Amino acid sequence: MGMKDKFQDQAGQRQQQANDKTGESREKAGQRSSQQRERSSQQRDRARQDIDDTRDEMEDRFNQDYDA
C-alpha cells in the first residue's frame, strides 16, 4: 500500500466517522424535540385543568353565598 492510498483511507474513515456522528446528533435532536413537545402539551393540559378547577371553585362559592 502506498502512502497516498494510506492517507486516502484515513481520510475516508474520518469522513465516515463524521457522517456517523452527524447522524447520531440529528437523531438525538429529534428525540429532544419530541420530548419538549410532549412536555409542553402536558403543561398546557395541566394549565387548562387548573383553570377549570378554579372556575368550579368560584362557581361553588358563588352558589353557596346565594343559597344561604
Side-chain angles (χ1 to χ4, degrees), residues 17-56:
Q17 288 173 344
N19 289 340
D20 292 345
K21 286 197 181 246
T22 300
E24 290 172 12
S25 296
R26 286 183 180 152
E27 240 178 76
K28 287 179 184 177
Q31 290 171 353
R32 284 192 302 265
S33 176
S34 65
Q35 289 172 348
Q36 288 173 343
R37 283 192 298 267
E38 187 176 321
R39 262 188 258 126
S40 66
S41 175
Q42 290 172 349
Q43 288 172 342
R44 280 193 303 271
D45 292 345
R46 273 189 249 129
R48 286 184 188 127
Q49 186 62 43
D50 288 346
I51 290 170
D52 290 343
D53 291 347
T54 302
R55 187 178 296 134
D56 291 343

Side-chain angles (χ1 to χ4, degrees), residues 9-22:
D9 288 346
Q10 286 178 349
Q13 288 174 350
R14 289 203 173 110
Q15 182 67 36
Q16 186 59 43
Q17 288 173 344
N19 289 340
D20 292 345
K21 286 197 181 246
T22 300

